Amino acid sequence: MGQLVKLVPVICAGAIVAGCGLNALRTEYAGNVGSEGTAVAAASTQFLRDVEASRRLANIEMIVADPACGSSPAMIRRAIVMNKAGPGWLCLMPNEPRQYGVGRLSLAPISSQIQPTILLVSSLSAYTKAVAAAVDSTPSDPMKPLLDALETARSAQGLILSTTGGQGGPVPPAEDKGIKAIGDFVSFLSQLSNEPDQVRRLRQLIAKNPDGALPLVDALQGHLATWENSRKADDGLRLAVNGAMLRRAIDATPPLPPEERRKALTDFYQIDDAVTATADIYPALSKSLGTLADADNDLRRVLVEHPNLTKAERAKVAELNRWRAINAIDIVTALITSFKGA
Amino acid sequence: MGDKAALQGSFGNLLDMLDDRFDPLQPGDIVAQWTSIMARGAACARNVAAWDALASTSPAYDSVIAALDQATRALVTADYGNPNEVETALQATSNALDQLEGILAA
């Protein structure tokens, strides 16, 4: 019995060290990275669907307004002829000479242009899941999610290089931040997926990687900003073209029947409301990406051997350790009591 | 030296303002100009390959960013009861888009 009592401090210390509060904090932060990665992937998918829908709706509006807009690229006049009755009031007719300041709008589907962004999102999501799994517990096959993420990142890298190289314009040099970010990320994933002593060393590598997923988050922010401007412009175009049709309906001579004017006005305000609603998604997505970057930073910071904890984190770790010590004492007390009763 | 994110941000702010301030109950010639300018903005925004190909930073961006911001301010402050002021704001927008089109086509 005396022997058992002497063991109490040892058991308590063991409980604190083996299952220490810091590990609980690490597990919590790994969970945050995983859940934020999932949120970013879901929001990005929805956002990119909206971008495609906005493009289609803008194209529909142009072609409905004027059949002259129905061949790609549609060329909206610099001087729109509001009072022209037939086709060609909005867009140049196919046989008209080119004019300065014409908006040349490709009507081609954008699915292939969106593909590199989708692959960046997939690779970031796969990476966050893999990291969370490696830190949280011992996964059955820790390499598989990383290999998946690596393959997706390599596809994205290839597509981005093929779309940016060889185009006109100031092509980014090899050391450009965006291109470099993807290259570095692929290297980092290669390093992780070649890691033989899996979970423990995975954790070390994740902790030691200075930037983690941040360069990829930056690159993705850039892609999404381009698509957000595309969405804004397509929604604005849809609204303006419909508004121009409304203006023509109001100014028509002889005046249109009241029900036609009512329909034109109602259509415009419905589009205005729909456009306002789609504007909410990107700010939420951008915020979510920022939260993911913060979560990744926090995890990387606490994974090192002697992490520099914030005051709040130290308090939390102390509280967890205290709770674990009390729990250990309770267990030992119950054990002693049961021996006494025996 | 201007950076691409700031260029995208200034262009996005201008697009926001073109969306927010568009009013089909303005006179027909203003609605026509506005629609034409919106189409030019959309043509720039749809040129995703050109945006992807822009370098992260370039001294050439500074003047374009300034022109885009100035156009946005002009659209914000224009008296929408005064067609001359609206036309002036649209002219500033057209000038800014000239510069942006130049960068994207370079």
Side-chain angles (χ1 to χ4, degrees), chain A residues 2-283:
Chain A
Q3 289 289 347
L4 196 57
V5 172
K6 281 180 193 166
L7 277 176
V8 168
V10 177
I11 293 171
C12 292
I16 293 168
V17 172
C20 78
L22 183 56
N23 276 341
L25 192 68
R26 287 168 174 157
T27 304
E28 181 188 325
Y29 283 5
N32 291 346
V33 169
S35 57
E36 286 303 328
T38 305
V40 163
S44 301
T45 303
Q46 180 59 50
F47 169 70
L48 292 170
R49 272 196 204 121
D50 286 354
V51 168
E52 275 196 284
S54 292
R55 175 65 55 91
R56 287 181 190 144
L57 290 169
N59 290 348
I60 289 169
E61 206 64 43
M62 279 192 293
I63 297 168
V64 166
D66 183 355
C69 301
S71 55
S72 188
M75 288 189 265
I76 291 191
R77 295 176 181 280
R78 184 163 188 130
I80 292 169
V81 195
M82 293 291 277
N83 56 4
K84 183 179 178 184
W89 69 272
L90 180 65
C91 285
L92 291 181
M93 300 291 278
N95 54 353
E96 275 188 84
R98 293 272 181 86
Q99 295 173 359
Y100 165 74
V102 164
R104 289 167 54 88
L105 295 145
S106 165
L107 304 180
I110 55 173
S111 317
S112 61
Q113 287 180 291
I114 282 185
Q115 201 56 30
T117 312
I118 290 174
L119 285 172
L120 282 182
V121 172
S122 305
S123 123
L124 182 63
S125 168
Y127 163 76
T128 55
K129 278 181 194 158
V131 165
V135 175
D136 188 19
S137 60
T138 305
S140 55
D141 182 1
M143 290 303 114
K144 180 155 190 326
L146 280 169
L147 289 171
D148 289 347
L150 175 60
E151 191 181 333
T152 318
R154 278 188 177 141
S155 303
Q157 183 188 32
L159 270 173
I160 288 161
L161 286 172
S162 69
T163 52
T164 54
Q167 292 287 337
V171 176
E175 70 272 16
D176 183 81
K177 213 169 76 179
I179 303 288
K180 193 173 176 300
I182 293 148
D184 287 350
F185 189 67
V186 167
S187 306
F188 170 50
L189 286 180
S190 302
Q191 201 185 349
L192 285 184
S193 58
N194 287 331
E195 186 50 53
D197 180 9
Q198 298 175 335
V199 175
R200 186 179 61 82
R201 295 194 59 191
L202 269 179
R203 289 182 188 187
Q204 287 172 353
L205 269 174
I206 293 162
K208 283 178 186 165
N209 187 270
D211 295 324
L214 295 183
L216 191 72
V217 169
D218 283 348
L220 188 56
Q221 285 273 27
H223 272 242
L224 294 174
T226 300
W227 288 117
E228 169 63 354
N229 281 349
S230 161
R231 184 207 59 78
K232 281 179 185 176
D234 281 329
D235 282 351
L237 180 63
R238 180 183 170 207
L239 193 68
V241 168
N242 186 274
M245 284 201 291
L246 167 59
R247 188 68 256 172
R248 276 160 63 87
I250 293 168
D251 294 339
T253 43
L256 294 176
E259 60 272 21
E260 285 190 35
R261 286 201 303 278
R262 179 189 301 279
K263 183 175 183 318
L265 274 160
T266 306
D267 282 354
F268 175 79
Y269 289 120
Q270 278 177 351
I271 290 176
D272 198 17
D273 288 345
V275 163
T276 304
T278 59
D280 294 340
I281 295 174
Y282 177 74

Side-chain angles (χ1 to χ4, degrees), chain B:
Chain B
M1 191 183 306
D3 71 31
K4 182 176 162 182
L7 183 69
Q8 286 175 310
S10 292
F11 180 46
N13 290 340
L14 178 63
L15 291 172
D16 280 338
M17 208 43 60
L18 284 168
D19 281 6
D20 292 348
R21 292 296 171 109
F22 175 69
D23 177 8
L25 303 182
Q26 287 275 329
D29 56 341
I30 287 183
V31 172
Q33 283 182 56
W34 203 295
T35 305
S36 169
I37 280 175
M38 195 69 238
R40 287 177 62 199
C44 289
R46 286 186 181 200
N47 195 355
V48 171
W51 282 101
D52 285 348
L54 289 180
S56 300
T57 56
S58 165
Y61 299 162
D62 290 326
S63 61
V64 185
I65 290 169
L68 291 166
D69 291 347
Q70 196 246 322
T72 303
R73 278 195 301 276
L75 287 168
V76 170
T77 56
D79 172 2
Y80 283 75
N82 181 344
N84 288 338
E85 280 198 30
V86 180
E87 287 198 18
T88 303
L90 289 176
Q91 187 55 53
T93 308
S94 178
N95 295 342
L97 289 177
D98 283 342
Q99 292 195 42
L100 182 63
E101 285 162 354
I103 287 259
L104 293 174

